């Protein structure tokens, strides 16, 4: 037998004991091993093992001396991994067996006692929950920072008008600050979804063992508390097979990424020559290999594109889970890569979008000029007809439409129509109507709660900055 076969058989015997006489085929080893990606769980695996060992020692399943040796050994392994010196082995399949085998190498028999009263099934379920929980905490901080950046810019531009769009057609004037605060509202919903997800995942599977629990008199409340969980899971079958927490996390990720994509799309549009609303510096743009004039908003385009990866991760895991009977199945080994990839894409997108929002220089004069284009104050005219002349709104809408057609035919905006031209369509119109046809008058009039009036926007921005401080 070759040295390679000897090592493979030795690894198999480490994992499976006496049940298997020979090691797996090369293909089986390749498809079965997850150490290439689940090594990301090493901190959580060590944390869970420390809590498990402490509980085993406290109730007398292992000795205090063994627990101390395990703790020292795991601390040393953590230092090895952190320093890039850990000898990862694909033959040991995953991070859990790699750490356990290395622990036994370092401390001997005590290392073999660590796995008492647990299975890799509840071990990985616990590690993965810890990892997702850590990821949520980091992403919540990133989302909060992006909200702060948006709110700060909104406060600065609370009175700067820009065109508001529907169907990407000029609709009514709004302020740039109001537009930015819309994304703060979206991101707050993202934070809420993540907080809900964190609350639901914060139950500890450790102690569920393979699927049925254990006959050892373990203290699951103690390990749950030691790991920062609210409580242990109540059903061992569900505990080892549940990946709802990962699905809910990916669902929140997909929605949040969609919000980032929408803002990125707007940045792309705003940077384009026909709009020219904002300019990004060299820090967030690239050039062209052939067109020297180009300044491409590639950071925005890539953040927009990464939404596909994150949405794909959600669909991938839903597909993995859809046909699995209780309890554990090896299919769930495919749960981690989509989550890891989604977190990498999401955190990078959040950083890029926050950077662009802080970096961009708005051309407020250009936005103001465009805010009045496309007869953007037509609704203000219709509202004036209702408020002053007491026309029913549908009639006012019709009159305004005729006035827009008249202005379009003469090649002017509504404020450019002569009073006599207006009175030919509605004789009761007076000179006072021109007071509502300016961009500033339009935005100032939108004083309803949530409206774009500069005073509203300034108050909302201040409220958000205080809440996010």
């Amino acid at each position: 037998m070759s040295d390679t076969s000897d090592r493979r058989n030795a690894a198999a015997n480490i994992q499976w004991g006496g049940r298997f006489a020979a090691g797996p085929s090369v293909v089986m080893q390749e498809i079965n091993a997850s150490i290439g990606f689940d090594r990301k769980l090493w901190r959580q695996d060590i944390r869970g093992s420390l809590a498990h060992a402490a509980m085993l020692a406290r109730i007398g399943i292992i000795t205090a001396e063994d627990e101390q040796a395990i703790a020292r050994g795991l601390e040393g392994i953590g230092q090895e991994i952190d320093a890039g010196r850990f000898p990862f082995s694909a033959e040991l399949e995953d991070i859990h067996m790699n750490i356990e085998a290395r622990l036994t190498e370092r401390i001997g028999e005590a290392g073999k006692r660590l796995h008492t009263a647990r299975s890799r099934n509840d071990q990985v379920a616990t590690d993965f929950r810890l990892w997702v929980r850590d990821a949520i905490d980091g992403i919540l901080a990133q989302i909060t920072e992006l909200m702060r950046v948006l709110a700060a810019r909104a406060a600065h531009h609370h009175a700067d008008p820009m065109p508001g769009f529907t169907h990407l057609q000029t609709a009514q004037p709004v302020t740039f600050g109001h537009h930015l605060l819309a994304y703060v509202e979206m991101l707050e919903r993202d934070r809420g979804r993540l907080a809900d997800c964190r609350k639901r995942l914060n139950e500890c599977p450790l102690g569920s063992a393979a699927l049925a629990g254990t006959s050892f008199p373990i203290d699951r409340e103690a390990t749950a508390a030691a790991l920062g969980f609210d409580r242990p899971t109540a059903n061992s079958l569900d505990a080892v097979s549940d990946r709802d927490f990962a699905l809910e996390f990916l669902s929140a990720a997909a929605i949040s990424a969609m919000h980032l994509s929408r803002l990125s799309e707007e940045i792309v549009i705003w940077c384009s020559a026909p709009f020219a609303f904002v300019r990004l510096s060299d820090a967030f743009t690239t050039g062209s290999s052939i067109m020297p004039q180009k300044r491409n908003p590639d950071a925005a385009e890539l953040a927009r594109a990464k939404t596909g990866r994150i949405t794909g991760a959600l669909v991938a895991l839903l597909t993995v889970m859809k046909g699995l009977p209780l309890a554990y199945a090896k299919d769930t080994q495919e749960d981690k890569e989509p989550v890891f990839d989604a977190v990498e894409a999401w955190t990078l997108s959040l950083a890029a979008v926050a950077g662009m929002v802080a970096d961009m220089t708005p051309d407020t004069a250009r936005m103001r000029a465009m805010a009045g284009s496309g007869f953007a104050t037509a609704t203000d005219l219709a509202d004036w007809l209702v408020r002053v002349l007491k026309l029913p709104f549908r009639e006012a809408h019709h009159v305004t439409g005729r006035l827009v057609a008249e202005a379009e035919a003469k090649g002017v905006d509504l404020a450019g129509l002569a009073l006599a031209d207006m009175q030919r369509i509605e004789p009761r119109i007076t000179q006072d109507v021109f007071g509502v046809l300016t961009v500033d008058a339009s935005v100032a009039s939108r004083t309803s709660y949530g409206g774009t009036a500069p005073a509203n926007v300034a108050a909302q921005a201040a409220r958000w900055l205080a809440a996010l401080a």
Side-chain angles (χ1 to χ4, degrees), residues 398-441:
H398 179 73
V399 169
T400 301
R402 291 181 64 194
L403 289 168
V404 167
E406 179 74 10
E408 190 172 40
K410 291 181 177 295
V412 297
D413 60 17
L414 286 170
L417 277 176
L419 178 60
D421 292 330
M422 293 188 180
Q423 290 175 337
R424 275 197 298 272
I425 293 171
E426 172 48 65
R428 290 176 293 169
I429 293 177
T430 69
Q431 188 70 31
D432 290 346
V433 75
F434 293 99
V436 303
L437 297 182
T438 67
V439 166
D440 286 321

Side-chain angles (χ1 to χ4, degrees), residues 58-356:
R58 189 162 52 252
I59 62 178
I61 293 176
I62 64 174
T63 65
E65 292 76 18
D66 281 347
E67 191 266 333
Q68 290 166 9
I70 289 168
R72 286 194 303 272
L74 289 172
E75 182 182 357
I77 288 169
Q79 292 169 353
E80 286 182 344
I81 297 174
D82 211 20
R85 300 194 310 268
F86 186 85
F88 290 106
S89 168
E91 292 175 346
L92 290 168
E93 288 190 17
D94 56 33
I95 189 62
H96 323 293
M97 291 305 301
N98 268 266
I99 288 177
E100 184 178 328
R102 181 64 176 149
L103 181 65
T104 301
E105 287 178 6
R106 290 176 66 106
I107 68 172
E109 287 294 311
K112 297 179 181 180
R113 296 190 175 96
L114 173 60
H115 207 55
T116 307
R118 76 175 182 185
S119 162
R120 278 195 300 175
N121 294 355
D122 61 337
Q123 185 180 0
V124 68
T126 302
D127 292 356
F128 198 22
R129 283 180 187 244
L130 287 171
W131 194 93
V132 171
R133 193 178 71 186
D134 290 343
I136 287 173
D137 292 343
I139 290 166
L140 280 171
Q142 278 194 279
I143 292 175
T144 300
E145 179 57 26
L146 174 54
M147 292 171 71
R148 282 195 197 101
V149 173
L150 285 163
R153 303 229 64 174
H156 185 72
H157 295 288
H158 71 279
D160 288 324
M162 69 174 291
F165 299 97
T166 61
H167 308 277
L168 206 55
Q169 304 294 310
T170 301
Q172 294 175 265
V174 297
T175 70
F176 188 45
H178 191 60
H179 197 114
L180 295 178
L181 285 178
Y183 286 97
V184 177
E185 298 290 336
M186 295 181 210
L187 291 164
E188 175 63 6
R189 294 194 293 273
D190 293 337
R191 289 204 308 175
R193 275 181 283 271
L194 281 174
D196 288 346
C197 176
R198 193 189 194 284
K199 182 178 180 180
R200 268 185 287 278
L201 75 75
N202 210 36
E203 297 182 346
C204 184
L206 198 59
S208 299
L211 76 163
T214 179
S215 59
F216 289 95
I218 59 173
D219 185 350
R220 293 192 62 208
E221 294 281 354
T223 49
L227 294 170
F229 289 107
D230 295 329
R231 64 192 68 82
T233 51
N235 184 287
S236 58
L237 285 166
D238 177 56
V240 299
S241 61
D242 168 47
R243 294 298 183 271
D244 286 4
F245 65 92
L247 288 166
E248 187 173 1
F249 174 69
L250 289 176
S251 178
I255 294 171
S256 178
M258 175 268 294
H259 292 152
L260 298 178
S261 181
R262 293 182 72 182
L263 179 51
S264 296
E265 168 71 3
E266 298 217 82
I267 291 172
V268 170
I269 291 171
W270 294 343
C271 286
S272 67
F275 280 78
F277 286 175
V278 303
R279 178 182 174 89
L280 291 174
S281 76
D282 294 350
F284 289 95
T285 55
T286 65
S288 165
S289 63
I290 189 172
M291 294 172 285
Q293 83 281 9
K294 293 297 290 298
R295 179 186 290 273
N296 300 320
D298 283 3
E301 292 171 8
L302 289 166
R304 184 177 62 186
K306 286 186 182 296
T307 305
R309 298 179 69 135
I310 296 169
T311 303
L314 171 61
V315 173
L317 186 53
L318 283 168
T319 305
V320 167
M321 296 302 299
K322 72 175 182 62
L324 298 187
L326 292 175
Y328 179 81
K330 198 62 177 275
D331 306 54
T332 54
Q333 182 168 292
E334 295 295 314
D335 59 358
K336 295 166 200 66
E337 283 188 286
V339 172
F340 294 161
D341 185 68
V343 168
E344 183 177 342
W346 192 7
T347 55
L348 185 56
S349 295
L350 281 164
V353 172
M356 287 186 290

Side-chain angles (χ1 to χ4, degrees), residues 378-401 426 428:
T379 305
D380 300 277
L381 173 55
D383 288 347
W384 186 89
L385 294 171
V386 171
R387 189 170 56 251
V388 176
L389 302 187
K390 309 303 181 185
L391 294 182
F393 182 79
R394 284 301 168 203
E395 185 178 341
H397 186 283
H398 179 73
V399 169
T400 301
E426 172 48 65
R428 290 176 293 169

